[in-house]
Amino acid sequence: GVEEQTKKLMEVCRMRNIPIIVFINKLDRHGKDGFELLDEIEQKLHIHVTPLSWPINMGPEFKGVYSVFENKLNLFTPSKQYVEEYVEVNGLDDVKLNEIVGVRDADTLREEMEMVLEVYPKFKKQEYLEGQISPVFFGSALNNFGVMELLNCFTEIAPNPLPYETEERLVRPEEDKFSGFVFKIHANLDPNHRDRIAFLRVTSGVFKRNVFYKHVRLDKKIRFSSPTSFMAEKKSIVEQVYPGDIVGLHDTGNFKIGDSLTEGEDLHFKGIPSFSPEMFKYIENADPMKSKQLAKGIDQLMDEGVAQLFVGKTSTRKIIGTVGALQFEVIQYRLLHEYGALCRYEPITLYKTAWVTSENEAAMKDFVERKGSSMA
């Protein structure tokens, strides 16, 4: 299910020419061969790749990565977490390689890099910006290893903020007036405070703290006293946010994915992906004492876009629809650990949703009466 959802997301990125960077994680554990992993990415996600770093062994024998982009070695030392140790090398023929990683591993690296350079296309920034090719990096995120190569490359090749299409017009990043849209909502970012964050991408102008902006869908003015910037686990209040940047807005239920904020203009942004569910289950309350917590949890998780909720027209039973099977487990886990609500699922023989419309009122009424048990 996750693989299918990722493939669909990649298709959206290709349609909009959105550049993609790939990071292959957990090199400090044994896994598939690097070339096998690259083949799998190309076949299953249908994206063209070119490696910009390459691993030297993996698992307990993992010694580091060679940065194709910067022509240097980054040595891995498991006992020294979060310490970067770089060695400048004068190409792969440098005899220092033999001393640093050993003759056998140095020769293997040279052979594999020769294959990489022959098999995969040379990295070109314009092709990357057009979404035609994706650079690949290897590392171990838990040890903060191999990440710096990705970030160093990203600062060099990152695209400028792009124009965004709305139903009314094209919004350009260099415009003076602020506009932006909500693309993600996260409930219970801190379960102790039940806080809910709406993530807003700024598309034009400058977003400023404590300034009133128009919520287009609700047609009302809202201001934000503590807009938040996130970097890994750190968060800080920001005064200004510029086009291309993302800001977190504390939300009490005002926002849905796709909502617009502007300085007054009515804009409705297009192209925000929404996938039709393909798997369905009835969701039932397993603890009658926690019905209120369950209802609140389901509502907030559905607002995140984790899944979709349907309520039967005649039975009023709640049905959860997802793209992948794993999402059912995620919802069940989060309901229990974030809301204290216990749920169970029951199978249902559905595989697709569809809107039903008709210009013939009599025919529509007859259809609803006959098929009411299948409508939600």
Side-chain angles (χ1 to χ4, degrees):
V2 172
E3 180 186 307
E4 189 63 30
Q5 200 170 6
T6 306
K7 190 191 294 184
K8 288 181 178 179
L9 189 59
M10 295 298 174
E11 288 171 5
V12 172
C13 290
R14 276 197 302 278
M15 283 192 297
R16 295 197 59 195
N17 293 332
I18 296 174
I20 300 166
I21 294 181
V22 178
F23 183 80
I24 296 178
N25 194 17
K26 294 184 171 32
L27 266 293
D28 54 326
R29 301 182 186 182
H30 275 302
K32 294 181 179 178
D33 173 75
F35 291 104
E36 192 178 345
L37 289 168
L38 294 177
D39 287 345
E40 197 171 300
I41 290 168
E42 291 203 322
Q43 289 167 13
K44 293 193 173 183
L45 301 181
H46 303 291
I47 58 176
H48 299 296
V49 299
T50 186
L52 290 191
S53 75
W54 194 256
I56 304 169
N57 290 331
M58 61 177 65
E61 296 83 35
F62 182 48
K63 292 186 178 178
V65 293
Y66 172 71
S67 173
V68 183
F69 189 73
E70 298 173 295
N71 192 27
K72 65 184 180 184
L73 282 178
N74 186 0
L75 301 180
F76 177 69
T77 312
S79 59
K80 294 182 182 177
Q81 272 200 340
Y82 313 120
V83 175
E84 303 282 354
E85 188 178 349
Y86 291 112
V87 178
E88 298 286 345
V89 288
N90 187 22
L92 290 169
D93 295 327
D94 195 330
V95 291
K96 277 200 300 184
L97 272 176
N98 298 352
E99 301 168 13
I100 296 165
V101 300
V103 175
R104 183 175 64 87
D105 287 333
D107 286 343
T108 302
L109 175 64
R110 291 181 183 111
E111 288 174 15
E112 290 181 340
M113 283 307 305
E114 189 175 345
M115 285 183 64
V116 166
L117 295 173
E118 286 182 7
V119 172
Y120 295 97
K122 187 176 180 181
F123 176 77
K124 294 179 181 177
K125 184 176 177 180
Q126 190 57 38
E127 290 182 359
Y128 157 75
L129 292 174
E130 292 171 357
Q132 296 176 18
I133 196 163
S134 299
V136 179
F137 295 86
F138 292 83
S140 169
L142 179 66
N143 298 286
N144 199 24
F145 183 83
V147 180
M148 191 54 71
E149 283 86 351
L150 183 150
L151 294 176
N152 288 343
C153 176
F154 182 72
T155 58
E156 295 290 329
I157 67 174
N160 294 324
L162 300 173
Y164 277 85
E165 283 189 19
T166 68
E167 292 177 9
E168 293 77 15
R169 64 182 183 85
L170 189 69
V171 176
R172 299 190 176 278
E174 60 270 16
E175 293 178 17
D176 293 332
K177 291 194 173 182
F178 159 76
S179 66
F181 65 90
V182 173
F183 68 93
K184 174 182 169 67
I185 293 173
H186 198 298
N188 279 348
L189 197 65
D190 181 353
N192 293 324
H193 297 97
R194 284 273 188 263
D195 60 344
R196 171 175 145 141
I197 300 288
F199 289 92
L200 179 105
R201 179 178 291 281
V202 178
T203 54
S204 68
V206 180
F207 174 91
K208 296 179 182 177
R209 180 184 175 193
N210 280 325
V211 172
F212 280 98
Y213 293 116
K214 182 178 181 178
H215 188 310
V216 174
R217 179 174 58 84
L218 298 181
D219 193 22
K220 72 175 186 178
K221 297 279 188 177
I222 305 178
R223 70 172 179 173
F224 306 91
S225 59
S226 54
T228 307
S229 172
F230 293 85
M231 176 58 73
E233 293 179 350
K234 299 176 183 176
K235 56 182 182 179
S236 56
I237 292 176
V238 290
E239 296 293 333
Q240 296 183 328
V241 187
Y242 296 89
D245 285 345
I246 293 163
V247 61
L249 307 175
H250 289 274
D251 178 32
T252 56
N254 290 316
F255 287 110
K256 294 183 182 296
I257 292 173
D259 280 350
S260 309
L261 275 183
T262 70
E263 287 192 26
E265 186 179 0
D266 285 348
L267 295 174
H268 300 85
F269 286 86
K270 299 197 295 186
I272 300 168
S274 176
F275 302 124
S276 177
E278 297 165 2
M279 306 182 79
F280 303 87
K281 288 182 182 182
Y282 285 118
I283 184 167
E284 300 289 350
N285 188 3
D287 183 357
M289 302 296 290
K290 297 289 181 73
S291 56
K292 188 181 289 185
Q293 288 90 329
L294 180 68
K296 182 178 181 181
I298 291 173
D299 286 344
Q300 292 195 357
L301 293 180
M302 295 307 107
D303 282 346
E304 284 188 12
V306 172
Q308 291 184 31
L309 175 69
F310 304 90
V311 181
K313 284 282 187 186
T314 55
S315 67
T316 68
R317 293 185 73 181
K318 291 182 177 179
I319 302 167
I320 298 289
T322 71
V323 175
L326 184 64
Q327 287 167 293
F328 289 113
E329 295 177 33
V330 171
I331 292 167
Q332 194 170 37
Y333 179 89
R334 289 189 63 186
L335 284 172
L336 178 61
H337 290 84
E338 294 180 18
Y339 298 91
L342 192 62
C343 76
R344 66 174 183 271
Y345 295 114
E346 293 184 11
I348 182 173
T349 52
L350 295 175
Y351 63 94
K352 191 175 183 180
T353 58
W355 291 103
V356 183
T357 60
S358 174
E359 294 179 1
N360 187 326
E361 289 186 18
M364 186 67 176
K365 186 178 179 181
D366 178 61
F367 180 85
V368 171
E369 287 175 355
R370 287 186 294 108
K371 300 290 186 181
S373 60
S374 299
M375 299 192 73

